[in-house]
Amino acid sequence: MGRKKSPTNIPPNEQRLLDGIQMVNNHPLFGRLRISQNIVGKAMLGRNAGAKISYRGVVYLNKDASHPPAEWAHMIAHNMLHLAFGHFDAEKMPGFFRELPGGRKEWAVSCDFRLWNMACDIYICKFLSDVKFGTPFFPADSLARFGSVSSERKIYDYLFKNNIGASENLYGTAAVGEADMLEPDKPLKYSENQKNGYVTNFALALADSVHKVIGQAEEGSAPRTVMQNAALWFINHYPLLGGIASGFRVVDTRENPVLLNDISIAAVDVVKGEIYVNWAAGLNLEEWKFVLAHEYLHAGLQHHARCQGRDPQLWNAACDFVINGWLQEMKIGQMPERGLLYDGKLKNQSAEEIYDLLVQNLAGSTKFETFRGYGKGDIIREGYTGSLTCPVSLDEFCKNALGSGLEYHISYGRGYLPAGLIEEIKALSVPPIPWDVALAEWFEIYFAPIAMRRSYARPSRRQSSTPDIPRPRLLPADIQQHSRTFGVVIDTSGSMSTELLGLALGAAASYCVARDVSFARVVFCDADAYDIGYVAPEDIAGRVQVKGRGGTVLQPAIDLLESAEDFPQTAPILIITDGFIESSLRIRNEHAFLVPQGRRLPFRARGKVFYFRKLS
């Protein structure tokens, strides 16, 4: 066992390292992070490496490296931030959504881990430059090339697109071109009830340190926060959103530790009537006006309820594009530099249209950065429960608040409003059309009521007052039966619910009977197509058998119908499926889809899509 060194015989390099550690421990932010530090030698880290970080929560420091104390402080804080920013977390890394059995999805990591390490290093260096802690160990002006790139993922994409390799990494605390994250290829995954403790601790420390600094500057006074002032501005000065603002409570994430590492800037829980804001986001008053208006519109336009079986993340992104475009036109506040989805090319397009574009171009294989954070929707759908304490229902409150605000705004000429926003607010007052009524309207397009004709071939009874005058009989028009038919393609794979199938088929059959459609051409399909032929609508449900085979391929059933000589080329096709089908269908005839509520098609449908559910 070696003799313990006295303060007088500590090597100069190690002493400077200890001084750097002391600078970190004395800092109001980094001193509160509970991350272990292990002093080792060059034998473990290499001659030129200063420090490395393990996903197990240990910073390894090379006592043989020569750096001034301020550079050591910069390096130690740098490695701590790898953990505090969740750079080892799988959900943070680039990748894609992978389909799992039962319709579930998981995020699969797919990236160059050394390049990801470099992107994280650059992000941390920009952060430390902003907070002005320590002395950079790299040329400070070299960060200018990355401009205002605001997240690790965006920096990674920038490096990848510009062919900048990890060998050019000057920003890590290891040797040039070497990773300072140990084993980044072992991403950390958390269950639903687990959180990254380092991220939570950092959020708490950051919020507390900012609170202390501002509290000292204000000498004990407790004025309203900048977020509260922004919310009050809407109530006092902007009637369109003032009603919504008065019904929602602005909650600082410091009040709830669960929210601290979950919300980057803001999010809205419409059910609970709360908007969560992160004070540590560092936005000014005008930027908070923009953010709050964004969340108010999410609530007022009922975006949480209008998802209608779509992918929640893509739907959230589509709504963000629309709202941010409107706010830019309305000139409310100032756009923040991060967490924003905006594209001027999407002007005058609805959220539904933009969603279809996202599904077509991205197929749910990427993540978006919203005000809640990277890969998270700022419309909270699950997790936080509660209800608005108002005398009307939640939906009615939001509709009434926006409707009355619009009326006041227009009558008093309070400023410009985009036409698309006015249309959406007015549409809220129109009651939604149930799926079964919408399906009935679709049938009416193709099967109008049969016109009656008068015929003397079989005259009706003569009236007693004029027995000598024969009177014509009302008969249906002479229309060939095969011209009033349609095709039904039924997904009979094992993933289809028999109960839902019966519900959809029962509705279709009742509409056919009511509109004098005598027969429908039915094709069952799972892995293969099974032609049943023409069947009376009321008998379809009794003929269905769920076969329970593997994946569903519906294209053969479509091709069978469209190529059949006895099937009219103008006849529509109704496709009943659970959505777990191939990525695209080629359909020449007019058609519509019946999909269970909560599911979605994996492609942009050209025909109508009806999301059916139980009527009870």
Side-chain angles (χ1 to χ4, degrees):
M1 183 174 179
R3 186 176 60 184
K4 184 178 180 181
K5 296 179 181 179
S6 65
T8 57
N9 61 4
I10 295 178
N13 286 346
E14 187 173 349
Q15 183 60 54
R16 287 191 286 268
L17 168 58
L18 294 175
D19 292 341
I21 292 175
Q22 192 62 39
M23 290 177 63
V24 172
N25 292 339
N26 292 337
H27 192 269
L29 173 60
F30 300 111
R32 293 192 54 183
L33 300 183
R34 300 173 181 175
I35 298 176
S36 301
Q37 299 162 10
N38 193 355
I39 298 177
V40 297
K42 61 184 178 182
M44 177 176 177
L45 298 183
R47 179 181 299 274
N48 298 320
K52 293 185 179 181
I53 181 69
S54 167
Y55 67 88
R56 295 181 176 88
V58 180
V59 179
Y60 295 97
L61 304 170
N62 185 358
K63 64 181 180 180
D64 298 321
S66 178
H67 296 282
E71 279 192 11
W72 271 121
H74 194 285
M75 287 185 174
I76 296 169
H78 180 109
N79 282 271
M80 286 180 166
L81 289 175
H82 274 309
L83 290 173
F85 289 154
H87 291 162
F88 288 98
D89 295 355
E91 66 174 16
K92 190 86 172 180
M93 298 180 180
F96 61 95
F97 281 112
R98 179 166 54 199
E99 295 282 351
L100 296 176
R104 297 183 298 109
K105 292 182 179 180
E106 73 170 3
W107 185 248
V109 176
S110 176
C111 68
D112 180 333
F113 291 104
R114 289 183 61 217
L115 196 65
W116 169 249
N117 193 156
M118 181 177 177
C120 295
D121 286 336
I122 294 169
Y123 182 79
I124 289 174
C125 289
K126 288 165 67 71
F127 176 85
L128 291 175
S129 176
D130 290 338
V131 300
K132 296 179 174 55
F133 179 71
T135 301
F137 49 86
F138 55 89
D141 56 355
S142 63
L143 288 175
R145 66 190 293 196
F146 303 107
S148 60
V149 183
S150 59
S151 69
E152 298 93 333
R153 174 60 186 275
K154 290 181 179 179
I155 296 173
Y156 178 89
D157 292 341
Y158 176 89
L159 297 175
F160 187 82
K161 291 176 182 176
N162 290 276
N163 296 316
I164 300 175
S167 60
E168 302 179 42
N169 187 6
L170 307 173
Y171 310 97
T173 59
V176 174
E178 186 178 335
D180 59 5
M181 293 169 59
L182 296 173
E183 300 179 298
D185 56 340
K186 296 181 179 180
L188 300 177
K189 296 183 179 181
Y190 301 92
S191 65
E192 294 181 359
N193 298 324
Q194 288 181 320
K195 293 287 184 181
N196 186 327
Y198 299 110
V199 177
T200 301
N201 290 337
F202 176 74
L204 284 166
L206 181 61
D208 186 64
S209 61
V210 172
H211 177 68
K212 285 182 178 179
V213 171
I214 294 178
Q216 292 170 1
E218 294 171 347
E219 298 179 348
S221 61
R224 285 190 297 267
T225 65
V226 64
M227 300 90 70
Q228 291 170 336
N229 284 332
L232 190 62
W233 179 84
F234 284 99
I235 297 174
N236 294 335
H237 302 285
Y238 205 79
L240 175 67
L241 299 176
I244 294 288
S246 65
F248 278 77
R249 188 168 73 97
V250 176
V251 179
D252 193 328
T253 54
R254 291 174 299 169
E255 297 180 21
N256 189 336
V258 176
L259 303 174
L260 272 173
N261 74 340
D262 185 54
I263 295 172
S264 174
I265 298 177
V268 59
D269 186 340
V270 182
V271 175
K272 195 169 183 179
E274 293 180 339
I275 293 177
Y276 305 106
V277 292
N278 186 350
W279 190 11
L283 305 186
N284 59 37
L285 177 63
E286 293 302 310
E287 290 173 324
W288 277 118
K289 287 180 184 178
F290 188 99
V291 171
L292 290 182
H294 178 103
E295 304 302 343
Y296 290 148
L297 285 174
H298 271 318
L301 296 174
Q302 298 288 281
H303 286 159
H304 66 291
R306 289 167 54 191
C307 189
Q308 294 292 315
R310 301 177 178 90
D311 179 90
Q313 185 177 337
L314 290 183
W315 173 248
N316 199 145
C319 296
D320 275 11
F321 278 116
V322 174
I323 287 177
N324 293 333
W326 286 340
L327 294 178
Q328 179 74 348
E329 290 185 61
M330 297 157 66
K331 302 188 184 304
I332 296 180
Q334 177 184 349
M335 278 189 173
E337 293 184 356
R338 60 191 178 94
L340 189 76
L341 295 175
Y342 173 73
D343 189 343
K345 298 178 182 178
L346 300 176
K347 183 178 180 180
N348 297 328
Q349 295 197 46
S350 68
E352 287 77 9
E353 291 171 327
I354 295 175
Y355 176 86
D356 290 341
L357 291 175
L358 296 179
V359 170
Q360 182 180 16
N361 296 330
L362 301 176
S365 62
T366 188
K367 292 184 178 182
F368 291 96
E369 184 178 14
T370 70
F371 287 142
R372 186 177 177 185
Y374 185 75
K376 302 174 183 176
D378 61 333
I379 307 172
I380 294 177
R381 297 169 55 84
E382 298 175 353
Y384 312 126
T385 59
S387 61
L388 276 175
T389 55
C390 52
V392 295
S393 69
L394 170 67
D395 291 352
E396 287 302 316
F397 168 79
C398 293
K399 293 174 185 178
N400 294 341
L402 266 186
S404 59
L406 175 63
E407 182 179 350
Y408 184 91
H409 203 98
I410 294 176
S411 62
Y412 285 87
R414 291 299 298 269
Y416 170 77
L417 293 178
L421 175 58
I422 295 175
E423 289 179 5
E424 289 220 11
I425 295 175
K426 290 182 176 179
L428 291 174
S429 62
V430 180
I433 301 176
W435 69 270
D436 54 327
V437 178
L439 179 62
E441 292 179 352
W442 182 78
F443 272 95
E444 287 180 356
I445 295 174
Y446 303 102
F447 305 110
I450 298 177
M452 303 300 288
R453 63 182 180 86
R454 297 181 181 276
S455 173
Y456 286 94
R458 295 182 61 187
S460 62
R461 294 181 178 180
R462 306 183 184 215
Q463 295 183 359
S464 59
S465 59
T466 55
D468 298 329
I469 302 177
R471 300 190 182 276
R473 184 185 184 90
L474 284 174
L475 296 173
D478 292 329
I479 297 178
Q480 295 181 346
Q481 266 194 344
H482 75 271
S483 67
R484 291 180 65 84
T485 188
F486 69 105
V488 183
V489 174
I490 304 175
D491 177 358
T492 55
S493 62
S495 57
M496 281 292 289
S497 163
T498 305
E499 182 182 7
L500 289 177
L501 260 180
L503 180 67
L505 290 171
S510 64
Y511 301 141
C512 293
V513 173
R515 286 159 183 80
D516 297 307
V517 178
S518 301
F519 296 97
R521 182 68 174 270
V522 180
V523 179
F524 296 158
C525 195
D526 42 45
D528 297 312
Y530 306 90
D531 187 9
I532 305 302
Y534 284 96
V535 180
E538 59 269 24
D539 294 335
I540 295 177
R543 299 283 297 274
V544 176
Q545 293 181 355
V546 177
K547 297 181 178 298
R549 298 191 178 183
T552 306
V553 182
L554 295 183
Q555 190 61 51
I558 303 297
D559 295 340
L560 188 154
L561 276 177
E562 293 185 337
S563 61
E565 295 183 357
D566 58 344
F567 186 71
Q569 294 183 356
T570 58
I573 300 175
L574 182 65
I575 304 163
I576 304 175
T577 177
D578 58 1
F580 298 126
I581 56 179
E582 64 268 36
S583 59
S584 62
L585 289 174
R586 301 179 303 277
I587 309 176
R588 184 179 64 250
N589 291 38
E590 295 296 329
H591 59 280
F593 294 89
L594 263 177
V595 183
Q597 184 77 26
R599 303 283 177 81
R600 68 179 183 89
L601 297 173
F603 53 84
R604 184 182 181 184
R606 186 169 57 87
K608 293 281 188 180
V609 180
F610 304 106
Y611 294 98
F612 65 93
R613 59 186 182 277
K614 293 183 179 180
L615 302 180
S616 57

